Amino acid sequence: MTNSLGIINEVKTDRKAIAFTFDDGPNPLYTKQLLEIFQQVSGKATFFMIGEQMEKHPEVVAEVFEQNHEIGNHTFTHPGLTKLSEEECYLELEKTEKLITQLTGKQPVLFRPPYIDYNEETKKIVERFQYKTIGALNGDALDWEQPGVQFIVEKSKGHIRNGSILIFHDGFGDRSQSIEAVRLLVAELVEEGYQLVTVSELLEMSYA
C-alpha cells in the first residue's frame, strides 16, 4: 500500500508476516540488544542507518549485516530533505549508499526519509537511486518521544496485520523504552504465528 508520493507503509500479502524497522542507528548499545531479541526468535529486521553513525560504529554495521538483517539508507546527517537543495539532497543519499556498499559489499535498495519529510522533488532524486521508499503504519506509537513502553506496544498492536511495516528507533538518545516495547511485541507476535522478515522479503510476498 503506497501513498501519493509512493511511500510504502504496508504490503498486501496473505502471508502472516511483518517487518520491524529501526531508524537512526547503528548504536553499540541498542542495536546490539535488538540483534539479540531477533536472534532468539530467528527473526529478521530492517535497519535504516545514518551515515554519520555508521562511520562511528562500523563494527555494529558488520554485525547487523552478518546476521542477515537488511540495511537501508536513512541519509548521512538526518536532515529534513525538503529543506535542502537538489544537490545537497543527492549527496546525503549518495554518501550513505557508498558507505553501506563499502561496509557490507551490498548496495542498499530501500530508503526512508528522515521525519518522513518528503515531496515530489525529493521523490525524483530518490528515484535516481532506484530505491523503494519505506514508511510505516505505527507512527502514532511515537516511540522517539519515549511515551512509555505500554503506550508504544498498544499503539503498535493497533496496526498488526499481514504485511504491516512497523517503525521504531535504535539511535539518538535513550532508546530503552523502544527496545523493551519491541521485546514484548516480538514475543507476542511470534507466539501468534507471525514471521518476522526484512522489508525486501515482505515486498517479495506481495500479491498486488
mmCIF file with all atom_site columns, all heavy atoms in Angstrom, residues 167-185:
data_model
loop_
_atom_site.group_PDB
_atom_site.id
_atom_site.type_symbol
_atom_site.label_atom_id
_atom_site.label_alt_id
_atom_site.label_comp_id
_atom_site.label_asym_id
_atom_site.label_entity_id
_atom_site.label_seq_id
_atom_site.pdbx_PDB_ins_code
_atom_site.Cartn_x
_atom_site.Cartn_y
_atom_site.Cartn_z
_atom_site.occupancy
_atom_site.B_iso_or_equiv
_atom_site.pdbx_formal_charge
_atom_site.auth_seq_id
_atom_site.auth_comp_id
_atom_site.auth_asym_id
_atom_site.auth_atom_id
_atom_site.pdbx_PDB_model_num
ATOM 1   N N   . ILE A 1 167 ? 7.686  0.912  12.621 1.00 0.00 ? 167 ILE A N   1
ATOM 2   C CA  . ILE A 1 167 ? 8.871  1.744  12.818 1.00 0.00 ? 167 ILE A CA  1
ATOM 3   C C   . ILE A 1 167 ? 9.193  1.922  14.310 1.00 0.00 ? 167 ILE A C   1
ATOM 4   O O   . ILE A 1 167 ? 8.294  2.144  15.124 1.00 0.00 ? 167 ILE A O   1
ATOM 5   C CB  . ILE A 1 167 ? 8.689  3.138  12.156 1.00 0.00 ? 167 ILE A CB  1
ATOM 6   C CG1 . ILE A 1 167 ? 9.949  3.997  12.307 1.00 0.00 ? 167 ILE A CG1 1
ATOM 7   C CG2 . ILE A 1 167 ? 7.483  3.872  12.721 1.00 0.00 ? 167 ILE A CG2 1
ATOM 8   C CD1 . ILE A 1 167 ? 9.894  5.312  11.537 1.00 0.00 ? 167 ILE A CD1 1
ATOM 9   N N   . PHE A 1 168 ? 10.472 1.784  14.626 1.00 0.00 ? 168 PHE A N   1
ATOM 10  C CA  . PHE A 1 168 ? 10.995 2.070  15.970 1.00 0.00 ? 168 PHE A CA  1
ATOM 11  C C   . PHE A 1 168 ? 12.370 2.712  15.780 1.00 0.00 ? 168 PHE A C   1
ATOM 12  O O   . PHE A 1 168 ? 12.863 2.793  14.656 1.00 0.00 ? 168 PHE A O   1
ATOM 13  C CB  . PHE A 1 168 ? 11.112 0.777  16.797 1.00 0.00 ? 168 PHE A CB  1
ATOM 14  C CG  . PHE A 1 168 ? 9.815  0.021  16.892 1.00 0.00 ? 168 PHE A CG  1
ATOM 15  C CD1 . PHE A 1 168 ? 9.512  -0.988 15.982 1.00 0.00 ? 168 PHE A CD1 1
ATOM 16  C CD2 . PHE A 1 168 ? 8.880  0.331  17.873 1.00 0.00 ? 168 PHE A CD2 1
ATOM 17  C CE1 . PHE A 1 168 ? 8.301  -1.672 16.047 1.00 0.00 ? 168 PHE A CE1 1
ATOM 18  C CE2 . PHE A 1 168 ? 7.667  -0.347 17.941 1.00 0.00 ? 168 PHE A CE2 1
ATOM 19  C CZ  . PHE A 1 168 ? 7.377  -1.346 17.031 1.00 0.00 ? 168 PHE A CZ  1
ATOM 20  N N   . HIS A 1 169 ? 12.976 3.144  16.876 1.00 0.00 ? 169 HIS A N   1
ATOM 21  C CA  . HIS A 1 169 ? 14.262 3.830  16.778 1.00 0.00 ? 169 HIS A CA  1
ATOM 22  C C   . HIS A 1 169 ? 15.310 3.185  17.678 1.00 0.00 ? 169 HIS A C   1
ATOM 23  O O   . HIS A 1 169 ? 15.016 2.846  18.822 1.00 0.00 ? 169 HIS A O   1
ATOM 24  C CB  . HIS A 1 169 ? 14.093 5.313  17.136 1.00 0.00 ? 169 HIS A CB  1
ATOM 25  C CG  . HIS A 1 169 ? 13.280 6.065  16.120 1.00 0.00 ? 169 HIS A CG  1
ATOM 26  N ND1 . HIS A 1 169 ? 11.928 5.879  15.996 1.00 0.00 ? 169 HIS A ND1 1
ATOM 27  C CD2 . HIS A 1 169 ? 13.649 6.974  15.180 1.00 0.00 ? 169 HIS A CD2 1
ATOM 28  C CE1 . HIS A 1 169 ? 11.483 6.656  15.004 1.00 0.00 ? 169 HIS A CE1 1
ATOM 29  N NE2 . HIS A 1 169 ? 12.501 7.318  14.494 1.00 0.00 ? 169 HIS A NE2 1
ATOM 30  N N   . ASP A 1 170 ? 16.516 3.037  17.127 1.00 0.00 ? 170 ASP A N   1
ATOM 31  C CA  . ASP A 1 170 ? 17.620 2.486  17.932 1.00 0.00 ? 170 ASP A CA  1
ATOM 32  C C   . ASP A 1 170 ? 18.781 3.474  18.021 1.00 0.00 ? 170 ASP A C   1
ATOM 33  O O   . ASP A 1 170 ? 19.878 3.116  18.412 1.00 0.00 ? 170 ASP A O   1
ATOM 34  C CB  . ASP A 1 170 ? 18.092 1.132  17.369 1.00 0.00 ? 170 ASP A CB  1
ATOM 35  C CG  . ASP A 1 170 ? 18.630 1.218  15.950 1.00 0.00 ? 170 ASP A CG  1
ATOM 36  O OD1 . ASP A 1 170 ? 18.283 2.188  15.232 1.00 0.00 ? 170 ASP A OD1 1
ATOM 37  O OD2 . ASP A 1 170 ? 19.394 0.330  15.539 1.00 0.00 ? 170 ASP A OD2 1
ATOM 38  N N   . GLY A 1 171 ? 18.528 4.736  17.656 1.00 0.00 ? 171 GLY A N   1
ATOM 39  C CA  . GLY A 1 171 ? 19.586 5.746  17.739 1.00 0.00 ? 171 GLY A CA  1
ATOM 40  C C   . GLY A 1 171 ? 19.048 7.064  18.250 1.00 0.00 ? 171 GLY A C   1
ATOM 41  O O   . GLY A 1 171 ? 17.838 7.250  18.374 1.00 0.00 ? 171 GLY A O   1
ATOM 42  N N   . PHE A 1 172 ? 19.948 8.002  18.556 1.00 0.00 ? 172 PHE A N   1
ATOM 43  C CA  . PHE A 1 172 ? 19.634 9.339  19.083 1.00 0.00 ? 172 PHE A CA  1
ATOM 44  C C   . PHE A 1 172 ? 18.996 9.274  20.472 1.00 0.00 ? 172 PHE A C   1
ATOM 45  O O   . PHE A 1 172 ? 17.780 9.159  20.610 1.00 0.00 ? 172 PHE A O   1
ATOM 46  C CB  . PHE A 1 172 ? 18.699 10.122 18.143 1.00 0.00 ? 172 PHE A CB  1
ATOM 47  C CG  . PHE A 1 172 ? 19.377 10.731 16.952 1.00 0.00 ? 172 PHE A CG  1
ATOM 48  C CD1 . PHE A 1 172 ? 18.751 10.793 15.728 1.00 0.00 ? 172 PHE A CD1 1
ATOM 49  C CD2 . PHE A 1 172 ? 20.658 11.246 17.051 1.00 0.00 ? 172 PHE A CD2 1
ATOM 50  C CE1 . PHE A 1 172 ? 19.384 11.350 14.616 1.00 0.00 ? 172 PHE A CE1 1
ATOM 51  C CE2 . PHE A 1 172 ? 21.305 11.806 15.962 1.00 0.00 ? 172 PHE A CE2 1
ATOM 52  C CZ  . PHE A 1 172 ? 20.662 11.853 14.743 1.00 0.00 ? 172 PHE A CZ  1
ATOM 53  N N   . GLY A 1 173 ? 19.820 9.334  21.503 1.00 0.00 ? 173 GLY A N   1
ATOM 54  C CA  . GLY A 1 173 ? 19.271 9.416  22.853 1.00 0.00 ? 173 GLY A CA  1
ATOM 55  C C   . GLY A 1 173 ? 18.920 8.081  23.467 1.00 0.00 ? 173 GLY A C   1
ATOM 56  O O   . GLY A 1 173 ? 19.313 7.022  22.993 1.00 0.00 ? 173 GLY A O   1
ATOM 57  N N   . ASP A 1 174 ? 18.130 8.142  24.534 1.00 0.00 ? 174 ASP A N   1
ATOM 58  C CA  . ASP A 1 174 ? 17.749 6.955  25.300 1.00 0.00 ? 174 ASP A CA  1
ATOM 59  C C   . ASP A 1 174 ? 16.661 6.195  24.543 1.00 0.00 ? 174 ASP A C   1
ATOM 60  O O   . ASP A 1 174 ? 15.563 6.699  24.344 1.00 0.00 ? 174 ASP A O   1
ATOM 61  C CB  . ASP A 1 174 ? 17.232 7.410  26.681 1.00 0.00 ? 174 ASP A CB  1
ATOM 62  C CG  . ASP A 1 174 ? 16.804 6.236  27.549 1.00 0.00 ? 174 ASP A CG  1
ATOM 63  O OD1 . ASP A 1 174 ? 16.877 5.079  27.086 1.00 0.00 ? 174 ASP A OD1 1
ATOM 64  O OD2 . ASP A 1 174 ? 16.384 6.483  28.685 1.00 0.00 ? 174 ASP A OD2 1
ATOM 65  N N   . ARG A 1 175 ? 16.975 4.988  24.133 1.00 0.00 ? 175 ARG A N   1
ATOM 66  C CA  . ARG A 1 175 ? 16.008 4.192  23.372 1.00 0.00 ? 175 ARG A CA  1
ATOM 67  C C   . ARG A 1 175 ? 15.551 2.957  24.145 1.00 0.00 ? 175 ARG A C   1
ATOM 68  O O   . ARG A 1 175 ? 15.032 2.002  23.559 1.00 0.00 ? 175 ARG A O   1
ATOM 69  C CB  . ARG A 1 175 ? 16.636 3.772  22.034 1.00 0.00 ? 175 ARG A CB  1
ATOM 70  C CG  . ARG A 1 175 ? 16.835 4.947  21.094 1.00 0.00 ? 175 ARG A CG  1
ATOM 71  C CD  . ARG A 1 175 ? 15.496 5.454  20.586 1.00 0.00 ? 175 ARG A CD  1
ATOM 72  N NE  . ARG A 1 175 ? 15.588 6.748  19.948 1.00 0.00 ? 175 ARG A NE  1
ATOM 73  C CZ  . ARG A 1 175 ? 14.866 7.797  20.289 1.00 0.00 ? 175 ARG A CZ  1
ATOM 74  N NH1 . ARG A 1 175 ? 14.011 7.722  21.295 1.00 0.00 ? 175 ARG A NH1 1
ATOM 75  N NH2 . ARG A 1 175 ? 14.975 8.929  19.633 1.00 0.00 ? 175 ARG A NH2 1
ATOM 76  N N   . SER A 1 176 ? 15.739 2.976  25.463 1.00 0.00 ? 176 SER A N   1
ATOM 77  C CA  . SER A 1 176 ? 15.404 1.782  26.256 1.00 0.00 ? 176 SER A CA  1
ATOM 78  C C   . SER A 1 176 ? 13.911 1.433  26.176 1.00 0.00 ? 176 SER A C   1
ATOM 79  O O   . SER A 1 176 ? 13.549 0.252  26.156 1.00 0.00 ? 176 SER A O   1
ATOM 80  C CB  . SER A 1 176 ? 15.840 1.970  27.708 1.00 0.00 ? 176 SER A CB  1
ATOM 81  O OG  . SER A 1 176 ? 15.345 3.187  28.218 1.00 0.00 ? 176 SER A OG  1
ATOM 82  N N   . GLN A 1 177 ? 13.034 2.443  26.120 1.00 0.00 ? 177 GLN A N   1
ATOM 83  C CA  . GLN A 1 177 ? 11.588 2.158  26.002 1.00 0.00 ? 177 GLN A CA  1
ATOM 84  C C   . GLN A 1 177 ? 11.275 1.454  24.680 1.00 0.00 ? 177 GLN A C   1
ATOM 85  O O   . GLN A 1 177 ? 10.487 0.507  24.639 1.00 0.00 ? 177 GLN A O   1
ATOM 86  C CB  . GLN A 1 177 ? 10.781 3.457  26.086 1.00 0.00 ? 177 GLN A CB  1
ATOM 87  C CG  . GLN A 1 177 ? 10.715 4.053  27.471 1.00 0.00 ? 177 GLN A CG  1
ATOM 88  C CD  . GLN A 1 177 ? 9.782  5.253  27.521 1.00 0.00 ? 177 GLN A CD  1
ATOM 89  O OE1 . GLN A 1 177 ? 9.015  5.521  26.600 1.00 0.00 ? 177 GLN A OE1 1
ATOM 90  N NE2 . GLN A 1 177 ? 9.840  5.990  28.616 1.00 0.00 ? 177 GLN A NE2 1
ATOM 91  N N   . SER A 1 178 ? 11.889 1.929  23.619 1.00 0.00 ? 178 SER A N   1
ATOM 92  C CA  . SER A 1 178 ? 11.665 1.316  22.303 1.00 0.00 ? 178 SER A CA  1
ATOM 93  C C   . SER A 1 178 ? 12.099 -0.146 22.310 1.00 0.00 ? 178 SER A C   1
ATOM 94  O O   . SER A 1 178 ? 11.385 -1.022 21.804 1.00 0.00 ? 178 SER A O   1
ATOM 95  C CB  . SER A 1 178 ? 12.442 2.071  21.218 1.00 0.00 ? 178 SER A CB  1
ATOM 96  O OG  . SER A 1 178 ? 12.038 3.416  21.160 1.00 0.00 ? 178 SER A OG  1
ATOM 97  N N   . ILE A 1 179 ? 13.267 -0.402 22.886 1.00 0.00 ? 179 ILE A N   1
ATOM 98  C CA  . ILE A 1 179 ? 13.803 -1.768 22.907 1.00 0.00 ? 179 ILE A CA  1
ATOM 99  C C   . ILE A 1 179 ? 12.875 -2.689 23.705 1.00 0.00 ? 179 ILE A C   1
ATOM 100 O O   . ILE A 1 179 ? 12.568 -3.798 23.281 1.00 0.00 ? 179 ILE A O   1
ATOM 101 C CB  . ILE A 1 179 ? 15.227 -1.808 23.525 1.00 0.00 ? 179 ILE A CB  1
ATOM 102 C CG1 . ILE A 1 179 ? 16.166 -0.835 22.801 1.00 0.00 ? 179 ILE A CG1 1
ATOM 103 C CG2 . ILE A 1 179 ? 15.778 -3.226 23.519 1.00 0.00 ? 179 ILE A CG2 1
ATOM 104 C CD1 . ILE A 1 179 ? 16.325 -1.016 21.324 1.00 0.00 ? 179 ILE A CD1 1
ATOM 105 N N   . GLU A 1 180 ? 12.424 -2.198 24.856 1.00 0.00 ? 180 GLU A N   1
ATOM 106 C CA  . GLU A 1 180 ? 11.552 -3.019 25.709 1.00 0.00 ? 180 GLU A CA  1
ATOM 107 C C   . GLU A 1 180 ? 10.222 -3.286 25.012 1.00 0.00 ? 180 GLU A C   1
ATOM 108 O O   . GLU A 1 180 ? 9.679  -4.397 25.069 1.00 0.00 ? 180 GLU A O   1
ATOM 109 C CB  . GLU A 1 180 ? 11.329 -2.313 27.058 1.00 0.00 ? 180 GLU A CB  1
ATOM 110 C CG  . GLU A 1 180 ? 10.847 -3.236 28.168 1.00 0.00 ? 180 GLU A CG  1
ATOM 111 C CD  . GLU A 1 180 ? 11.644 -4.547 28.272 1.00 0.00 ? 180 GLU A CD  1
ATOM 112 O OE1 . GLU A 1 180 ? 12.881 -4.533 28.218 1.00 0.00 ? 180 GLU A OE1 1
ATOM 113 O OE2 . GLU A 1 180 ? 10.982 -5.597 28.395 1.00 0.00 ? 180 GLU A OE2 1
ATOM 114 N N   . ALA A 1 181 ? 9.684  -2.268 24.333 1.00 0.00 ? 181 ALA A N   1
ATOM 115 C CA  . ALA A 1 181 ? 8.418  -2.432 23.599 1.00 0.00 ? 181 ALA A CA  1
ATOM 116 C C   . ALA A 1 181 ? 8.584  -3.469 22.485 1.00 0.00 ? 181 ALA A C   1
ATOM 117 O O   . ALA A 1 181 ? 7.720  -4.328 22.287 1.00 0.00 ? 181 ALA A O   1
ATOM 118 C CB  . ALA A 1 181 ? 7.979  -1.095 23.009 1.00 0.00 ? 181 ALA A CB  1
ATOM 119 N N   . VAL A 1 182 ? 9.706  -3.400 21.786 1.00 0.00 ? 182 VAL A N   1
ATOM 120 C CA  . VAL A 1 182 ? 9.973  -4.357 20.708 1.00 0.00 ? 182 VAL A CA  1
ATOM 121 C C   . VAL A 1 182 ? 10.104 -5.770 21.279 1.00 0.00 ? 182 VAL A C   1
ATOM 122 O O   . VAL A 1 182 ? 9.579  -6.731 20.714 1.00 0.00 ? 182 VAL A O   1
ATOM 123 C CB  . VAL A 1 182 ? 11.241 -3.952 19.918 1.00 0.00 ? 182 VAL A CB  1
ATOM 124 C CG1 . VAL A 1 182 ? 11.706 -5.084 18.997 1.00 0.00 ? 182 VAL A CG1 1
ATOM 125 C CG2 . VAL A 1 182 ? 10.977 -2.688 19.118 1.00 0.00 ? 182 VAL A CG2 1
ATOM 126 N N   . ARG A 1 183 ? 10.774 -5.880 22.412 1.00 0.00 ? 183 ARG A N   1
ATOM 127 C CA  . ARG A 1 183 ? 10.938 -7.193 23.054 1.00 0.00 ? 183 ARG A CA  1
ATOM 128 C C   . ARG A 1 183 ? 9.560  -7.831 23.326 1.00 0.00 ? 183 ARG A C   1
ATOM 129 O O   . ARG A 1 183 ? 9.336  -9.001 23.037 1.00 0.00 ? 183 ARG A O   1
ATOM 130 C CB  . ARG A 1 183 ? 11.707 -7.024 24.372 1.00 0.00 ? 183 ARG A CB  1
ATOM 131 C CG  . ARG A 1 183 ? 12.211 -8.338 24.982 1.00 0.00 ? 183 ARG A CG  1
ATOM 132 C CD  . ARG A 1 183 ? 12.787 -8.116 26.368 1.00 0.00 ? 183 ARG A CD  1
ATOM 133 N NE  . ARG A 1 183 ? 13.794 -7.070 26.433 1.00 0.00 ? 183 ARG A NE  1
ATOM 134 C CZ  . ARG A 1 183 ? 15.077 -7.228 26.081 1.00 0.00 ? 183 ARG A CZ  1
ATOM 135 N NH1 . ARG A 1 183 ? 15.493 -8.395 25.634 1.00 0.00 ? 183 ARG A NH1 1
ATOM 136 N NH2 . ARG A 1 183 ? 15.922 -6.227 26.173 1.00 0.00 ? 183 ARG A NH2 1
ATOM 137 N N   . LEU A 1 184 ? 8.636  -7.047 23.859 1.00 0.00 ? 184 LEU A N   1
ATOM 138 C CA  . LEU A 1 184 ? 7.292  -7.539 24.173 1.00 0.00 ? 184 LEU A CA  1
ATOM 139 C C   . LEU A 1 184 ? 6.510  -7.872 22.903 1.00 0.00 ? 184 LEU A C   1
ATOM 140 O O   . LEU A 1 184 ? 5.856  -8.910 22.815 1.00 0.00 ? 184 LEU A O   1
ATOM 141 C CB  . LEU A 1 184 ? 6.526  -6.498 24.994 1.00 0.00 ? 184 LEU A CB  1
ATOM 142 C CG  . LEU A 1 184 ? 7.081  -6.203 26.395 1.00 0.00 ? 184 LEU A CG  1
ATOM 143 C CD1 . LEU A 1 184 ? 6.389  -4.993 27.007 1.00 0.00 ? 184 LEU A CD1 1
ATOM 144 C CD2 . LEU A 1 184 ? 6.915  -7.412 27.307 1.00 0.00 ? 184 LEU A CD2 1
ATOM 145 N N   . LEU A 1 185 ? 6.591  -6.986 21.908 1.00 0.00 ? 185 LEU A N   1
ATOM 146 C CA  . LEU A 1 185 ? 5.854  -7.198 20.661 1.00 0.00 ? 185 LEU A CA  1
ATOM 147 C C   . LEU A 1 185 ? 6.355  -8.425 19.915 1.00 0.00 ? 185 LEU A C   1
ATOM 148 O O   . LEU A 1 185 ? 5.561  -9.223 19.413 1.00 0.00 ? 185 LEU A O   1
ATOM 149 C CB  . LEU A 1 185 ? 5.985  -5.958 19.763 1.00 0.00 ? 185 LEU A CB  1
ATOM 150 C CG  . LEU A 1 185 ? 5.108  -4.764 20.142 1.00 0.00 ? 185 LEU A CG  1
ATOM 151 C CD1 . LEU A 1 185 ? 5.609  -3.496 19.455 1.00 0.00 ? 185 LEU A CD1 1
ATOM 152 C CD2 . LEU A 1 185 ? 3.652  -5.020 19.764 1.00 0.00 ? 185 LEU A CD2 1
#
